Amino acid sequence: MNPIAYLHNRLSLSTKLSFGILMLTVLVFVLTLGLLFLQSRYLIRKEALERATSVLKTTAVRVERNLNTVENATNANDWFITENLHPDSLLAYSHRIVRYNINVNGCSITTEPYTFPQYGRYFSAYSVREGDSIETVREAEYEYFDKVWYKTPKTLGKPCWIDPFDDYNEGTLSSPELIASYCKPLHDAERRFIGVISTDLSLRRLAETILAEHPYPHSYFILIGERGNYYVHPDTARLFNKTIFSDIDPKQHADIIALGHEMTAGKQGNLRVFIDGKPCLVCYQPVKGTHWSLGLVCPDSDILQEYHRQAYIIAPLLIIGLLLILLLCNRVVNHAVRPLNRLLKQSQRIAEGHYDEQIPHTKRGDAVGRLQNSFALMQDSLDHHISDIQRVNDEMAKRNEELDEASRLAEEASKQKTAFIQNMSHQIRTPLNIIMGFSQVLGENTGQMPKEEAKNIIDMIDHNSKTLTRMVLMLFDSSDSGLAEELNSSKHEKVSCNDVARESIEMTHQHVPNLPILFETTLPDSFCIHTNRLYLIRSLRELLYNAAKYSDGKNISLRVTETESTVRFTFEDTGLGIPEDYRDKMFELFTKVNELSEGLGLGLPLAKRHIVNLGGDLFLDTSYTDGCRFIIDLPK
């Protein structure tokens, strides 16, 4: 036996009820706390996003302030430089820019070849800050024209920030630190390019500005360039040597790839990514005036630290509360079900055959008291019901005998009906053959009477003979033999939907010449299905014949279309249509709208039966109100 089922059977009702109440309480507690925790998690994440975005914007403002200081120092002196284009002036202005701007690490003023013929092809005035001192020199000759800080502003024709780089060159001085330079082209009064002033910002000082504030203990800033190179990162091994795309598998770290594209494209926003296998929130925005992007990385472990601490406190409190609820529920339920236990013992004795055991009435008005009184009343009424049940059983036995006799008579009637239909079809075929034979003889002796009269007689005999043939076939199909022949028919062949539709129209024209029938199809003639061609044509022909007989004969159409899984034949006409009170029984055998109308009431029932046996369905489209619209659906 299943241990769980055994334990369930051994537990008392009070224990079961106590556990049931506890389970319900646990469910309510879990759902409530779950919703609260989800809402808390959402609010904490929202607050973290706002906090991180605020810190990021504040840091970006500080960075832009440092950059603006460098830009203003450069822009404030370029006019003096172009107005006083002398070697000594260039050295003085370079020294002045560095001296009076604490954020400036160095400044170089370089000129086009042979600007000063006495110095030859090269002239570069360079000042650099080293601790508290500033050194200014005319640099030694080196090919600075190909340097990015010279070539870029010359090409663009406007000031620009150059990505951080190592200042080592072949000149006399080099900055001991990595620098980022603000480069501005110099033009004389005729707007001719004469050189470049390049003002340097220490990357170390910029990093100190960026890292001055962070919202969480393990959060940090990153600064990347246009190609994704790291310029600021807590892991110094990544600086300049690595990009945000380095050593990243695009399939496993699509989130980091997306972050890199967002930042290098100069966009602003936030993304949730996994960095070193840990979920993090990254807020980013471009640095104005540069191709750099500043990002703030906040690990989820920092963001949700307080959230997790709450879980450690609430879990023990929840367990203690549930245990107290269980104890209280058990005591309350035991007191409530005690009368039920007594009633259970009395009922078990009655079930064991002690029918003289009387269940007493009680004056308690609660549910348990009403239950006990109900059991007592039930015991009093059992004797009365036993006699009633015996009487009902006798009557049911008598009725079953009558039903058996009625079933036998109905079966005999069904056999007699089938025999009648078979005999009727056999008797009609003989005169039918005679009519057909005489019509042929009459057709061969038309010379003895007027041709028009002979033709009319021939047409009438032919029409009636075909009608009798159709009736005979319908009578045979409606019999059990016809149904058995239909069900046992295994002749399924490849049938063209358009061909059987056209053939049915031609057969209808043989009965009703000159009847306009519109044929439309959306299928090619090569479109075929596997079905019984004979019974499909009989069904199509019967619906067309009914349309011709009961409509106004002006707007009869047959359309062949397809659905996802079926081929659809739609028959449509205009006229009176089918009355609503007849629609429920129009597919029953020998049922007609008007008993005086022509026909046997077999056309629609047999068509329906043929289509159903072919695996499809035939139904009336009640949404069409201008006449009749029947639809046949056959599986493809």
Side-chain angles (χ1 to χ4, degrees), residues 462-481:
D462 185 67
H463 173 75
N464 283 281
S465 64
K466 290 177 179 178
T467 300
L468 287 173
T469 302
R470 174 175 168 271
M471 293 174 61
V472 170
L473 289 175
M474 290 171 63
L475 286 169
F476 179 76
D477 284 346
S478 66
S479 68
D480 292 342
S481 298

Side-chain angles (χ1 to χ4, degrees), residues 58-74 101-105 161 180 182 199-212 287-288 290 292:
T58 302
T59 303
V61 169
R62 291 202 303 269
V63 171
E64 290 167 8
R65 188 183 301 124
N66 286 351
L67 299 181
N68 289 337
T69 301
V70 175
E71 293 175 10
N72 293 335
T74 305
N101 296 278
I102 191 64
N103 290 328
V104 174
N105 191 67
W161 278 94
Y182 176 73
T199 308
D200 304 330
L201 175 65
S202 170
L203 191 60
R204 177 185 58 79
R205 184 181 295 273
L206 184 62
E208 290 175 354
T209 302
I210 292 174
L211 300 176
V287 178
K288 189 181 301 183
T290 70
W292 312 335

Side-chain angles (χ1 to χ4, degrees), residues 419-586:
F420 167 76
I421 293 175
Q422 291 176 343
N423 182 58
M424 182 178 181
S425 62
H426 175 73
Q427 294 298 327
I428 291 177
R429 284 180 181 175
T430 300
L432 180 62
N433 290 333
I434 295 174
I435 293 173
M436 295 294 290
F438 276 115
S439 65
Q440 183 177 1
V441 172
L442 184 60
E444 293 174 355
N445 297 281
T446 55
Q448 299 178 6
M449 63 179 64
K451 292 183 177 180
E452 183 176 356
E453 182 179 353
K455 185 177 183 303
N456 290 336
I457 295 173
I458 292 171
D459 291 341
M460 185 179 300
I461 294 174
D462 185 67
H463 173 75
N464 283 281
S465 64
K466 290 177 179 178
T467 300
L468 287 173
T469 302
R470 174 175 168 271
M471 293 174 61
V472 170
L473 289 175
M474 290 171 63
L475 286 169
F476 179 76
D477 284 346
S478 66
S479 68
D480 292 342
S481 298
L483 176 60
E485 179 178 305
E486 177 183 346
L487 294 176
N488 294 330
S489 176
S490 60
K491 184 180 180 182
H492 278 66
E493 55 186 305
K494 199 173 183 181
V495 177
S496 169
C497 298
N498 291 343
D499 287 347
V500 296
R502 294 189 184 100
E503 185 174 348
S504 301
I505 293 174
E506 292 176 2
M507 291 181 176
T508 304
H509 282 151
Q510 293 177 6
H511 285 274
V512 188
N514 302 322
L515 177 68
I517 300 177
L518 174 63
F519 174 64
E520 296 177 347
T521 181
T522 60
L523 304 178
D525 289 345
S526 60
F527 189 94
C528 297
I529 59 175
H530 285 274
T531 188
N532 190 306
R533 181 186 184 90
L534 173 63
Y535 291 108
L536 176 57
I537 289 180
R538 286 184 182 179
S539 301
L540 301 181
R541 181 188 61 191
E542 190 59 37
L543 290 173
L544 288 173
Y545 185 78
N546 279 359
K549 185 166 62 172
Y550 297 110
S551 72
D552 57 11
K554 298 178 181 179
N555 299 287
I556 301 175
S557 64
L558 169 57
R559 294 191 302 275
V560 183
T561 56
E562 67 173 331
T563 65
E564 183 178 355
S565 60
T566 64
V567 176
R568 174 164 289 184
F569 298 87
T570 304
F571 301 82
E572 192 173 292
D573 60 52
T574 56
L576 297 177
I578 296 178
E580 290 186 5
D581 56 349
Y582 174 72
R583 292 175 183 175
D584 293 335
K585 54 183 180 180
M586 62 183 175

Side-chain angles (χ1 to χ4, degrees), residues 30-46 304 307 310:
V30 169
L31 291 177
T32 304
L33 290 177
L35 292 175
L36 290 176
F37 268 82
L38 288 176
Q39 183 66 14
S40 300
R41 190 184 185 95
Y42 169 77
L43 294 176
I44 290 173
R45 288 190 181 279
K46 183 179 179 182
L304 300 176
Y307 174 82
Q310 290 178 8

Side-chain angles (χ1 to χ4, degrees), residues 148-149 152-153 156 158-162 181-185 289 291:
V148 64
W149 51 266
T152 301
L156 296 177
K158 61 180 182 179
C160 61
W161 278 94
I162 302 302
S181 297
Y182 176 73
C183 306
K184 185 173 184 179
H291 296 295

Side-chain angles (χ1 to χ4, degrees), residues 11-26 322-323 325-335 337:
L11 292 177
S12 63
L13 177 60
S14 59
T15 305
K16 293 178 184 178
L17 289 175
S18 299
F19 274 109
I21 294 173
L22 180 64
M23 292 299 103
L24 180 61
T25 305
V26 169
L322 292 176
L323 290 176
I325 291 174
L326 176 60
L327 294 175
L328 181 61
C329 287
N330 191 49
R331 296 196 63 175
V332 173
V333 171
N334 276 332
H335 181 269
V337 301

Side-chain angles (χ1 to χ4, degrees), residues 33 56 77 139 202 279 281 315 356 379 415 424 587:
L33 290 177
L56 177 64
N77 289 277
E139 292 189 282
S202 170
L281 170 66
D356 57 341
Q379 188 180 28
K415 292 180 180 179
M424 182 178 181
F587 291 117

